[in-house]
C-alpha cells in the first residue's frame, strides 16, 4: 500500500503542476479518478468534457453526468457525429485514431477557449498492452495521461477509487460501440443500435462485463469466463437468443474464451 500511496502522491503533484486542465471524461473508472484529482488539485481551473456521440451508449452519458455532479466538477457535453466522416465509416484499422483525433480536437478547443493549459485523459499503465491507434492522436494533440505517467494500473485505479469513495471504483469499461464491428465492415447507425440494445439487455440480465461483437448477421457474445455457464443455461439461452433475433441478428453464439479487451484486434496480431 505504501507504493500505491507514493503513486497517488505523485499523481497529485503531477496534476497540480499542470496549473489548469480539461479532462476527457467518459464517466468510467479511469477518467473519473483523473477528474477527481484535477478537481482536488486545480479547483475551478479544471473542467470535465464528455463527448456525446452515436459511438457511445446513451446510458453512459447519463451516468457520466451523475458522476460529474457527485465529484463537484464542472461538466461540459459536446455532441459529435463521426458517422458523417466517409473515412471513419469504412472502419479501417486506424478507425480509433480518426475518432479520437476528432474528439480531442473538440476538447482542445474548449480548453483553449477557457485558457486551460492541458488536456488530460484517463489512459492507465495497462493500456499499452493492447493495439491502440488512438494513442497517435493523443500524441499529436499533446494530451497528457497522468495515470499512465505515474505507473498506475487498472487495479491501482480501482483500489484508489474505492479509498476515495468514488462511485466508479468497480465500474466496467464501456469503449466505443464501433469496436464491436470487425475492421473493414461498414459502420452504420443500425448496427450501432443493434449492438447497444443487445448489450443493455445482457447487462440488465446481470452480465457486467459483456460485449456483443457483430459478424455480419451473427452476434458473438463475450461475457466474463465465470458467467459463461449462466449465459449458456437453458432459460437464459432461450431468452437471449429471442431478444437478439428481435433486434435483427440471425445467429447468436457464445465466445467460449470469454470477454477480453480488444478481441477484434486479434486478427491484426495474427
Amino acid at each position: 500500500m505504501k507504493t500505491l500511496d507514493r503513486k497517488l502522491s505523485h499523481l497529485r503533484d503531477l496534476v497540480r503542476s499542470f496549473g489548469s486542465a480539461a479532462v476527457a471524461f467518459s464517466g468510467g473508472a479511469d477518467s473519473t479518478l483523473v477528474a477527481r484529482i484535477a478537481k482536488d488539485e486545480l479547483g475551478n481551473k479544471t473542467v470535465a468534457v464528455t463527448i456525446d456521440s452515436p459511438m457511445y451508449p446513451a446510458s453512459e452519458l447519463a451516468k457520466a453526468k451523475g458522476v460529474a455532479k457527485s465529484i463537484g466538477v464542472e461538466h461540459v457535453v459536446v455532441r459529435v457525429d463521426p458517422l458523417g466522416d466517409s473515412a471513419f465509416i469504412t472502419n479501417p484499422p486506424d478507425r480509433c485514431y480518426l475518432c479520437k483525433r476528432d474528439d480531442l480536437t473538440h476538447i482542445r478547443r474548449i480548453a483553449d477557449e477557457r485558457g486551460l493549459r492541458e488536456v488530460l485523459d484517463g489512459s492507465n499503465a495497462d493500456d499499452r498492452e493492447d493495439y491502440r491507434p488512438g494513442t497517435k492522436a493523443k500524441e499529436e494533440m499533446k494530451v497528457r495521461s497522468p495515470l499512465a505517467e505515474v505507473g498506475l494500473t487498472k487495479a491501482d485505479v480501482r483500489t484508489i477509487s474505492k479509498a476515495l469513495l468514488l462511485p466508479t471504483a468497480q465500474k466496467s469499461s464501456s469503449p466505443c460501440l464501433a469496436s464491436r464491428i470487425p475492421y473493414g465492415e461498414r459502420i452504420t447507425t443500425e448496427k450501432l443500435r443493434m449492438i447497444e440494445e443487445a448489450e443493455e439487455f445482457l447487462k440488465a440480465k446481470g452480465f457486467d462485463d459483456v460485449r456483443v461483437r457483430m459478424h455480419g448477421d451473427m452476434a458473438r457474445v463475450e461475457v466474463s469466463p465465470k458467467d459463461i455457464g449462466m449465459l449458456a443455461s437453458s432459460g437464459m439461452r432461450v431468452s437471449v437468443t429471442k431478444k437478439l433475433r428481435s433486434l435483427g441478428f440471425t445467429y447468436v453464439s457464445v465466445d467460449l474464451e470469454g470477454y477480453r479487451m480488444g478481441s477484434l484486434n486479434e486478427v491484426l496480431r495474427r
Side-chain angles (χ1 to χ4, degrees):
M1 193 65 183
K2 288 183 179 180
T3 300
L4 201 55
D5 288 340
R6 284 197 297 271
K7 286 183 180 180
L8 177 57
S9 178
H10 187 188
L11 176 65
R12 290 188 179 279
D13 290 343
L14 178 62
V15 171
R16 192 183 313 119
S17 74
F18 295 149
S20 60
V23 179
F25 180 71
S26 67
D30 300 319
S31 65
T32 295
L33 178 57
V34 174
R36 166 62 188 274
I37 299 301
K39 176 62 177 175
D40 288 350
E41 303 303 326
L42 303 175
N44 293 329
K45 293 182 179 180
T46 190
V47 61
V49 185
T50 299
I51 298 297
D52 176 21
S53 161
M55 299 301 109
Y56 306 109
S59 61
E60 290 300 310
L61 176 60
K63 292 173 184 176
K65 289 179 177 179
V67 172
K69 184 176 181 180
S70 74
I71 62 179
V73 68
E74 182 182 357
H75 189 210
V76 174
V77 177
V78 180
R79 178 67 182 179
V80 303
D81 188 2
L83 293 177
D85 182 340
S86 58
F88 175 84
I89 62 175
T90 63
N91 201 9
D94 66 345
R95 175 204 67 231
C96 186
Y97 164 77
L98 298 173
C99 187
K100 185 71 71 176
R101 174 82 187 188
D102 186 56
D103 289 353
L104 292 175
T105 297
H106 288 288
I107 297 171
R108 174 62 73 182
R109 174 180 54 78
I110 289 173
D112 290 345
E113 289 173 351
R114 291 168 175 251
L116 302 176
R117 179 179 164 194
E118 303 286 355
V119 171
L120 315 180
D121 83 341
S123 299
N124 64 61
D126 290 336
D127 291 332
R128 301 171 182 144
E129 299 176 8
D130 190 27
Y131 171 69
R132 291 178 178 266
T135 300
K136 178 184 175 184
K138 287 167 41 185
E139 293 171 350
E140 291 176 352
M141 301 296 291
K142 295 180 170 53
V143 172
R144 301 291 296 267
S145 302
L147 302 179
E149 288 180 39
V150 302
L152 287 170
T153 64
K154 189 71 171 190
D156 294 336
V157 168
R158 295 198 185 284
T159 300
I160 292 172
S161 296
K162 183 178 180 180
L164 295 177
L165 303 180
L166 294 177
T168 51
Q170 297 303 320
K171 187 178 185 301
S172 299
S173 61
S174 183
C176 164
L177 292 171
S179 66
R180 297 6 171 221
I181 303 173
Y183 297 116
E185 294 188 14
R186 193 175 183 85
I187 300 169
T188 67
T189 300
E190 178 62 12
K191 289 179 180 178
L192 297 173
R193 180 198 64 80
M194 290 168 64
I195 293 165
E196 179 177 359
E197 291 190 28
E199 291 189 357
E200 290 295 326
F201 174 79
L202 285 159
K203 288 175 183 177
K205 289 289 187 179
F207 300 99
D208 293 327
D209 292 318
V210 60
R211 298 288 185 272
V212 176
R213 314 288 187 185
M214 176 181 267
H215 300 270
D217 60 355
M218 182 185 77
R220 174 169 59 88
V221 182
E222 295 178 12
V223 296
S224 173
K226 66 180 177 57
D227 291 332
I228 291 176
M230 180 171 74
L231 178 60
S233 64
S234 58
M236 186 67 72
R237 187 176 71 246
V238 170
S239 176
V240 170
T241 300
K242 181 179 179 180
K243 176 63 178 180
L244 269 59
R245 281 182 174 167
S246 77
L247 296 176
F249 292 103
T250 302
Y251 304 102
V252 181
S253 66
V254 177
D255 190 311
L256 296 181
E257 193 172 348
Y259 166 70
R260 64 268 189 206
M261 181 175 64
S263 72
L264 286 178
N265 292 332
E266 290 167 3
V267 66
L268 299 178
R269 289 192 285 270
R270 293 195 188 102

